[in-house]
């Protein structure tokens, strides 16, 4: 049995932000959500989140995670003070407590599991996750005796020049035997440079305290400022892209591509340069995405191509070709083997199979059947200034270039719309509609008061 506590009460002054630091997004998920996710591997029986700065907002953001217990730290007097707030909540709790800073978002679940295993096997009072950093600046330094038992942790700002040479740092991830911890927490003082209660000071009163070095030090990158946030994003991206390449995805010029770790790709997907895939997106085998494409929260079937396009909250079935320069703006469903082409914008529109919308169109609130051909420049006039109205276009229908379909309007199946028509009324199946004025040709015509030249 293990409980988890996440420190999420600080403002994160160095972020220079109104938003609490732990709510800053990293690849589509907030820092604190990432920390919470990394705890799943140890199956905690209780998860406590210590909130303070903008507590309401933090709780709101974490709403989707059920069974979280919130503990208020109304004044942020340091990480030790934050853990002191748990005392009334964990009264009678006799097991281990895993504590994580809310700003350590890259931790691998296995690492946490190893830390806990070592803690339990050795019956430690505390086990501290540590790392050897090439540049330990800013982190607390961990000092051990010859038996690898931790004697003290000294914050960077409290270190002497000699102590700063120690590159073994505290990752901000700990296991504590709670009954022992509960006894020593009241002993913390504020005699340090920041005049805060440091959680790290408990090691002076506990025994034994062991340090466990993480294998990949990039995992414990803590986020204190925007530069570290950017570094963490890079680390995350390398991890995600390496994993997909190992799984059979081609990434051409990976440095110019970003992929959220919520995305799912099948083998033999090809991601071309300057492409960004975000959120809850799935891409089927054989699809070629990019260059210059952004896809968010969308399903892309197999063997689809998406070239220089933006696709959001949409679905594209197998064999369709999207772009160049298409914008599927949301709630768009494209059937199989369609072509959605150059400078086409679709919104809340369903397109059947084998249908083409190939050039210069806007279709909104529309339903198109199969084998429809939308001529260049066809527009649905779906908005009357107050309300949106629907357009339906039956299977096999063709619209001529520059047609305007004034919604609400229904075109039946196998309708032909003459080029340049403004269609305002429904058209039955199997009909030609011409809705434009007839061409007039006046032979030999001159303006009345044309100047006569000799
Ligand atoms: C802390 C550690 C440092 C370690 C580093 C790892 C202490 C004293 N120092 O330093 O040894 O190397 O993390 O990243 O713990 N928080 C609260 N309430 C408070 C203060 C902070 O909940 O009163 C939360 C913050 O929201 C944050 C976490 O605790 O999520 C860590 O606080 P931060 O100020 O970033 O600590 P560091 O200076 O990075
Ligand atoms: Ca920190």
């Amino acid at each position: 049995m293990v409980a988890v506590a996440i420190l999420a009460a600080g403002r994160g002054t160095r972020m220079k932000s109104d938003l609490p630091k732990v709510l800053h997004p990293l690849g589509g998920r907030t820092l604190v959500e990432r920390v919470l996710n990394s705890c799943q591997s140890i199956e905690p029986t209780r998860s406590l989140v210590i909130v303070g700065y903008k507590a309401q907002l933090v709780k709101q953001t974490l709403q989707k995670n059920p069974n979280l217990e919130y503990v208020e730290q109304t004044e942020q007097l340091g990480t030790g003070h934050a853990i002191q707030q748990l005392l009334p909540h964990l009264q009678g709790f006799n097991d281990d407590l895993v504590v994580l800073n809310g700003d350590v978002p890259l931790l691998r679940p296995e690492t946490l599991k190893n830390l806990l295993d070592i803690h339990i096997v050795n019956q430690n009072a505390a086990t501290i996750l540590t790392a050897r950093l090439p540049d330990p600046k800013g982190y607390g330094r961990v000092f051990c005796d010859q038996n690898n038992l931790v004697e003290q942790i000294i914050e960077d700002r409290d270190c002497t020049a000699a102590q700063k040479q120690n590159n073994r740092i505290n990752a901000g991830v700990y296991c504590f035997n709670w009954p022992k911890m509960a006894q020593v927490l009241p002993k913390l003082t504020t005699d340090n440079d920041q005049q805060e209660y440091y959680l790290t000071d408990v090691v002076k009163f506990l025994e034994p305290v062991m340090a466990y070095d993480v294998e990949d030090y990039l995992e414990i990158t803590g986020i204190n400022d925007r530069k570290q946030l950017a570094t963490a994003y890079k680390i995350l991206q390398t991890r995600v892209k390496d994993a997909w390449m190992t799984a059979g995805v081609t990434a051409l010029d990976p440095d110019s591509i970003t992929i959220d770790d919520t995305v799912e790709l099948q083998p033999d997907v090809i991601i071309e340069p300057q492409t960004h895939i975000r959120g809850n997106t799935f891409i089927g085998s054989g699809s070629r995405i990019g260059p210059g494409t952004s896809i968010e929260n969308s399903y892309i079937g197999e063997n689809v191509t998406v070239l220089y396009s933006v696709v959001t909250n949409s679905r594209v079935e197998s064999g369709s070709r999207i772009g160049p320069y298409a914008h599927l703006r949301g709630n768009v469903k494209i059937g199989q083997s369609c072509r959605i082409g150059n400078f086409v914008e679709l919104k809340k529109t369903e397109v059947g199979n084998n249908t083409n919308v190939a050039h210069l169109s806007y279709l909104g609130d529309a339903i198109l059947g199969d084998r429809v051909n939308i001529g260049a420049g066809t527009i649905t006039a779906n908005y009357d200034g107050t309300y949106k109205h629907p357009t339906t276009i039956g299977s096999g229908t063709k619209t001529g270039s520059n047609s305007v379909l004034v919604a609400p309007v229904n075109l039946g199946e196998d309708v032909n719309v003459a080029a340049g028509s403004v269609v305002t009324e429904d058209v039955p199946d199997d009909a030609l509609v011409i809705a434009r004025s007839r061409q007039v040709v006046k032979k030999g015509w001159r303006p009345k008061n044309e100047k006569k030249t000799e």
Side-chain angles (χ1 to χ4, degrees):
M1 272 230 305
V2 59
V4 153
I6 295 176
L7 293 162
R11 172 175 185 157
T13 321
R14 287 166 279 180
M15 292 298 277
K16 310 263 163 69
S17 174
D18 245 7
L19 198 63
K21 173 169 71 178
V22 296
L23 292 191
H24 278 261
L26 177 68
R29 266 184 254 172
T30 61
L31 301 183
V32 61
E33 283 170 295
R34 287 189 174 277
V35 173
L36 265 173
N37 287 349
S38 63
C39 296
Q40 280 168 3
S41 62
I42 57 169
E43 297 175 359
T45 48
R46 294 175 67 181
S47 301
L48 301 105
V49 182
I50 302 160
V51 292
Y53 178 72
K54 298 213 171 164
Q56 220 28 54
L57 195 59
V58 178
K59 288 187 199 173
Q60 229 176 357
T61 310
L62 293 177
Q63 237 170 17
K64 346 179 231 312
N65 307 60
N67 308 324
L68 293 181
E69 298 170 54
Y70 293 98
V71 176
E72 298 265 352
Q73 183 196 17
T74 28
E75 257 186 305
Q76 287 83 55
L77 305 178
T79 49
H81 179 256
I83 295 300
Q84 285 174 342
Q85 310 309 304
L86 297 177
L87 284 166
H89 297 265
L90 289 178
Q91 228 162 34
F93 177 75
N94 275 320
D95 283 288
D96 293 315
L97 179 73
V98 168
V99 172
L100 303 102
N101 284 356
D103 63 352
V104 190
L106 299 177
L107 203 64
R108 288 196 172 91
E110 308 90 83
T111 304
L112 210 49
K113 210 165 171 310
N114 293 344
L115 180 76
L116 184 60
D117 287 348
I118 287 172
H119 178 78
I120 292 171
V121 168
N122 294 286
Q123 300 188 320
N124 292 335
T127 314
I128 316 278
L129 187 66
T130 51
R132 317 257 181 185
L133 295 194
D135 177 15
K137 197 164 171 278
Y139 290 91
R141 307 298 206 281
V142 179
F143 295 87
C144 294
D145 65 14
Q146 61 275 39
N147 299 318
N148 196 30
L149 294 179
V150 179
E151 289 178 321
Q152 56 176 341
I153 301 176
I154 308 176
E155 289 309 294
D156 184 74
R157 59 207 304 163
D158 298 311
C159 280
T160 62
Q163 287 169 330
K164 281 190 188 187
Q165 298 305 309
N166 177 4
N167 75 339
R168 191 174 199 183
I169 65 95
N170 166 29
V173 177
Y174 323 79
C175 280
F176 294 111
N177 171 297
W178 181 252
K180 288 186 181 161
M181 185 69 169
Q183 282 181 5
V184 306
L185 274 172
K187 297 187 186 169
L188 295 178
T189 57
T190 59
D191 52 357
N192 52 59
D193 183 57
Q194 291 193 92
Q195 307 211 329
E196 286 185 354
Y197 296 94
Y198 285 169
L199 172 59
T200 44
D201 283 344
V202 297
V203 304
K204 295 182 203 159
F205 309 113
L206 291 170
E207 223 199 313
V209 179
M210 228 175 237
Y212 165 55
D213 271 329
V214 68
E215 221 169 281
D216 171 9
Y217 69 84
L218 295 177
E219 262 184 61
I220 56 79
T221 305
I223 313 295
N224 297 310
D225 57 33
R226 309 270 181 161
K227 267 172 74 180
Q228 282 171 324
L229 188 65
T231 307
Y233 187 65
K234 237 183 169 165
I235 296 168
L236 185 66
Q237 280 304 311
T238 306
R239 232 193 241 181
V240 171
K241 286 179 284 194
D242 285 358
W244 284 124
M245 288 191 272
T246 308
V249 169
T250 294
L252 301 172
D253 187 17
D255 284 348
S256 76
I257 294 168
T258 62
I259 305 173
D260 280 356
D261 61 353
T262 43
V263 167
E264 202 189 324
L265 307 174
Q266 284 193 326
D268 288 324
V269 164
I270 298 176
I271 315 280
E272 300 245 14
Q274 304 293 347
T275 292
H276 309 284
I277 307 177
R278 304 217 192 288
N280 185 17
T281 292
F282 171 93
I283 299 177
S285 185
S287 288
R288 178 181 282 264
I289 310 299
T293 289
S294 159
I295 299 185
E296 188 167 356
N297 297 326
S298 295
Y299 171 95
I300 309 287
E302 296 184 357
N303 302 311
V304 169
T305 61
V306 186
L307 181 61
Y308 289 110
S309 291
V310 177
V311 178
T312 311
N313 301 322
S314 292
R315 197 178 165 92
V316 179
E317 300 297 343
S318 299
S320 286
R321 288 182 287 158
I322 311 295
Y325 309 109
H327 187 186
L328 312 193
R329 233 175 74 194
N331 281 308
V332 172
K333 283 188 186 164
I334 308 289
Q336 293 177 15
S337 307
C338 292
R339 222 180 113 209
I340 308 297
N342 311 258
F343 304 101
V344 168
E345 176 182 352
L346 301 185
K347 186 222 81 179
K348 216 175 168 196
T349 285
E350 233 173 90
V351 175
N353 299 327
N354 301 295
T355 284
N356 295 337
V357 189
H359 336 263
L360 302 163
S361 279
Y362 167 67
L363 303 181
D365 306 290
I367 298 179
L368 283 67
D370 300 334
R371 290 167 286 99
V372 171
N373 190 70
I374 297 294
T378 297
I379 304 280
T380 55
N382 62 327
Y383 184 51
D384 62 14
T386 312
Y387 299 105
K388 303 273 169 70
H389 301 283
T391 301
T392 63
I393 302 173
S395 292
T397 285
K398 297 180 174 62
T399 67
S401 297
N402 244 24
S403 316
V404 180
L405 311 175
V406 183
V409 70
N410 304 298
L411 308 185
E413 298 192 353
D414 297 309
V415 166
N416 272 279
V417 178
S421 289
V422 178
V423 180
T424 55
E425 279 160 39
D426 290 358
V427 182
D429 291 352
D430 200 13
L432 168 69
V433 55
I434 308 172
R436 61 174 189 235
S437 49
R438 223 169 236 294
Q439 177 167 317
V440 177
V441 178
K442 297 186 176 177
K443 221 172 163 275
W445 180 88
R446 292 277 181 281
K448 267 191 189 129
N449 43 10
E450 190 180 325
K451 240 189 182 165
K452 291 265 168 3
T453 49
E454 267 96 282

